[in-house]
């Protein structure tokens, strides 16, 4: 069983990973032995989300077995302008091994600080948001889009949690593509036809 690791940190933005973890839970109902979700913090201690939710992680990021890692998910928050060395070093390492990394909102700034966006297409909250990182030289690769997938790297602004989840689902092949398309159609429009397609595709 492969592990999808969600990095938990103080001020993590609740809405940015909500669709994603709900989708992973739905996938586990259909294939319980394929993926497991682990919420990991740096040191294993509890964190408090941006919405004030107290989160008790499953463990310490340092104990993660990368040989069993399917994807690393980095939610946004207010603290990515500094610190987070352990998880950012890990992200660069696993990207080099071909393991998907999903970064949304503030987490893209963290990756920019570690030069992970300098040579591959990406997006973020705005181009100006990333230039705060002096290590960032990837302006020519910036895309003004709701989400950008470049092989194993998925990036998105904080206003696109739905698109972010869809792109991560696709990177992991979490569901067959017709299921992903119906899921996205349902949650982006609310139209019943997508619900019917989703039920029919499962």
């Amino acid at each position: 069983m492969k592990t999808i690791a969600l990095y938990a940190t103080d001020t993590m933005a609740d809405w940015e990973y909500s669709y994603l973890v709900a989708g992973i839970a739905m996938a586990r109902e259909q294939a319980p032995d394929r993926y497991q979700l682990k919420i990991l913090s740096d040191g294993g201690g509890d964190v408090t989300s941006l919405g004030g939710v107290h989160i008790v992680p499953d463990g310490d990021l340092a104990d993660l077995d990368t040989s069993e890692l399917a994807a690393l998910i980095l939610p946004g928050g207010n603290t990515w302008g500094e610190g987070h060395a352990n998880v950012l070093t890990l992200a660069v390492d696993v990207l080099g091994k071909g393991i998907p990394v999903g970064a949304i909102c503030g987490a893209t700034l963290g990756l920019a600080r570690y030069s992970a966006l300098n040579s591959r297409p990406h997006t973020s909250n705005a181009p100006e948001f990333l230039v705060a990182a002096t290590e960032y030289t990837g302006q020519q690769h910036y895309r003004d889009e709701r989400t950008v997938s470049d092989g194993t790297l998925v990036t998105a602004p904080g206003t696109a949690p739905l698109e972010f989840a869809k792109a991560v689902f696709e990177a992991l092949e979490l569901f067959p593509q017709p299921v992903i398309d119906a899921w996205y159609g349902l949650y982006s429009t609310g139209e019943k036809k997508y619900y019917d397609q989703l039920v029919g595709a499962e």
Side-chain angles (χ1 to χ4, degrees):
M1 182 186 298
K2 291 285 190 177
T3 296
I4 301 170
L6 173 67
Y7 178 58
T9 182
D10 284 327
T11 78
M12 61 193 294
D14 307 73
W15 64 92
E16 292 177 357
Y17 57 87
S18 56
Y19 286 110
L20 180 59
V21 296
I24 294 169
M26 186 172 73
R28 281 185 52 79
E29 291 177 358
Q30 301 174 4
D33 297 326
R34 188 178 179 204
Y35 291 125
Q36 63 176 340
L37 174 67
K38 284 191 176 180
I39 301 174
L40 305 173
S41 66
D42 193 350
D46 298 0
V47 303
T48 301
S49 75
L50 195 59
V53 177
H54 184 73
I55 298 170
V56 181
D58 297 310
D60 187 345
L61 184 73
D63 296 330
L64 179 64
D65 182 356
T66 57
S67 69
E68 299 298 326
L69 184 63
L72 175 65
I73 308 301
L74 308 178
N78 293 338
T79 61
W80 284 102
E82 60 184 9
H84 300 284
N86 289 334
V87 75
L88 291 169
T89 300
L90 175 64
V92 171
D93 178 61
V94 300
L95 278 171
K97 295 177 179 177
I99 298 171
V101 172
I104 184 170
C105 194
T108 61
L109 175 59
L111 290 181
R113 291 173 43 229
Y114 274 65
S115 304
L117 306 181
N118 288 345
S119 61
R120 53 199 307 170
H122 60 276
T123 192
S124 181
N125 294 334
E128 298 81 7
F129 182 71
L130 296 179
V131 297
T134 57
E135 301 82 0
Y136 177 64
T137 59
Q139 289 90 338
Q140 69 273 28
H141 299 293
Y142 188 90
R143 304 288 185 266
D144 187 14
E145 299 173 12
R146 298 289 287 166
T147 189
V148 172
S149 296
D150 176 51
T152 54
L153 176 64
V154 176
T155 52
T159 55
L162 188 62
E163 292 82 0
F164 179 65
K166 178 178 182 288
V168 173
F169 294 166
E170 290 171 338
L172 289 169
E173 298 181 347
L174 193 66
F175 304 102
Q177 193 64 44
V179 174
I180 296 176
D181 292 341
W183 176 90
Y184 180 73
L186 176 62
Y187 285 99
S188 61
T189 71
E191 294 181 14
K192 183 179 181 298
K193 67 178 181 180
Y194 293 112
Y195 174 80
D196 294 337
Q197 290 175 14
L198 184 60
V199 171
E202 289 179 344

